[in-house]
Amino acid sequence: MESWNLNAEVINQGDTTHAPTDKYKDTVFSYGTAGFRTDADALDRVCYRVGIVAAIRASETGAAGVMITASHNPLKDNGVKIIDKNGAMVTQSWEDPFTNGVNSSDLVQYISDLIAEKGIAYSDKARVCVACDTRDSSPRLIAALKAGIEAVGVKVKDFGELSTPQLHFLVWFADKENYSPEDIDGMNEEIYYDYYKKNLQEYWALISRDEESHYQSQLVVDTANGIGGKQLKKLDIFTNSSHYGLDVTVLNDGSTGTEFLNHKCGAECIHKDKSFPLGAEEIKTDDNTKWVSFDGDADRIVYYYGNPSTQDLNVIDGDKIAILLGDYIKSLMNNITNDKTSLSELITFVVVQTGYANSAATKYLTDKGVKVERVPTGVKYLHHRAEQYDIGVYFEANGHGTVISKYQKIVKILQDNDFSLDDAHVNKFLKFLLLTNEAVGDALATLLMVEAFLKDSGKNTKEVNEIYSDLPSRMLKLAVKDRSQFKTHHEDETLLLQPEGLQDRIVEIFSKVEGSRAFVRPSGTEDVVRIYAEAPTLEDADKIADEINDMLAKEF
């Protein structure tokens, strides 16, 4: 076991160099979904210390990744997301070590204790892959991050500016291909583009050209003035649109500067405000135009359609994207049969939802024979459940999600059960699975999957949006003195266990309306509770939510 040569003077000097301002010197940082996110001015030391802990994690596994981004947050914010060797978010067992490292009062002692506790040897072959988005604060923070990694003697592979999913993909790809440290050193973002160009071209060639198709060729992609606009244009679907029969316009591509990052544009804005992005009215469109919005770091995506001049907008959010892709994958599998069996009987397949998923969506899938499971709110819970199956589809309503498949296992199952890989249905199914980003939600990869589905189905966005109608819903947020007194059932957080008796009162309220449901859950980051109500009419959903809100406001 090779020992670490921890130079306390070097480590402490770096910690001092990247010390926070007086405003943030006493701040205690909490681990969020994938790392830390707040005002960029508070993050210099956080990034430095995350770099150190990431270096230790990389020495244990061989590689790790760290992304500097604040996703859909305003320009003044930034964040740091941590990636494991397999390309997924860092395992939950390492969330506390990162949190404790960031908040430690004695950094060198904490590092020594962590290394000893976990029995991690120093490895000169370890690599930490890093990248950042286009925010003004990102170069400063990535410098702090790299300083932390190098302070404990571990090497950095800096990819420069990437979208968050691109870095996840590259870490995943290196692991999948069993890359050596030298291979990782030689990697660049072209691996990502080459992978998706090849897979998209091959899949597109398998789709029949139906003269009756309603597929819409005009596509407007709003990239929220973030990193996505710059990266998106490098993919073949945009540089060679004629090959795919597409007419693509990129809106809010960041070319005017980052001051408009996520400002009145992007997936978060479209999903919450239900209004077209800034600049939409200047684009010549018609009723056959598809609209798409990414968020700032391109890991979320929503589709929509309508009229920008009247703000008549219909959103196809993450919930519906999950239903469309889940239904499509199920149909592809159903086509694969032989004299012995069908593929659907041989592999496990699930669509994972949270408690906020609309009941109509769940019913649509179950009626189609698709297994649905629910988990607590948060993409890390969705991802973890999805990867327990041979194929797992998950999306949050905000558009963050992906399709995970055990690709090599599925190929072996096909071969072991006498299915020919040259069969047209088998080939098409396997090629579709290669369009996804296995590691994490990726707006660009999801765009390719949805476009492939739309092209193959011959439907337009209005037609696919109307395959079922969501039940009207209402969501409220109520400030409370202490959110910790609210305890939910762990499975999907829709059942309150504490305060005792409160769940019965909630049920009593929504039971007045047949076909309705409601639940209350505490926020994970602030002293508020979130109230969700769903009913056959919007009026009933509003009444249920308001009545629960009033009850809670009087007591908590």
Side-chain angles (χ1 to χ4, degrees), residues 105-127:
S105 59
D106 188 337
L107 178 59
V108 175
Q109 186 62 53
Y110 176 75
I111 295 168
S112 300
D113 291 345
L114 177 64
I115 290 169
E117 176 193 340
K118 292 190 174 288
I120 299 172
Y122 170 77
S123 172
D124 61 0
K125 298 184 182 303
R127 296 291 187 275

Side-chain angles (χ1 to χ4, degrees), residues 54-55 58 62-68 81-85 126-132 142 145-146 149 154-160 162 166-168 170-172 174-175 181 183-185 187:
V66 184
M67 179 74 195
I68 302 296
K81 294 183 177 181
I82 303 141
I83 303 167
D84 252 340
K85 180 187 179 184
R127 296 291 187 275
V128 181
C129 302
V130 303
C132 66
I142 204 164
L145 171 69
K146 291 166 65 176
I149 298 165
V154 172
K155 294 181 181 178
V156 178
K157 168 59 183 177
D158 187 352
F159 284 97
L162 292 179
Q166 285 178 314
L167 182 61
H168 278 269
L170 291 168
V171 175
W172 167 82
D175 185 50
D183 290 331
I184 293 175
D185 292 340
M187 290 178 73

Side-chain angles (χ1 to χ4, degrees), residues 275-303:
S275 60
F276 276 86
L278 201 65
E281 292 182 37
E282 300 173 12
I283 298 177
K284 292 182 180 180
T285 60
D286 56 34
D287 292 340
N288 291 316
T289 300
K290 285 175 296 193
W291 294 79
V292 170
S293 281
F294 294 178
D295 67 337
D297 70 337
D299 64 1
R300 297 184 183 185
I301 179 174
V302 294
Y303 270 74

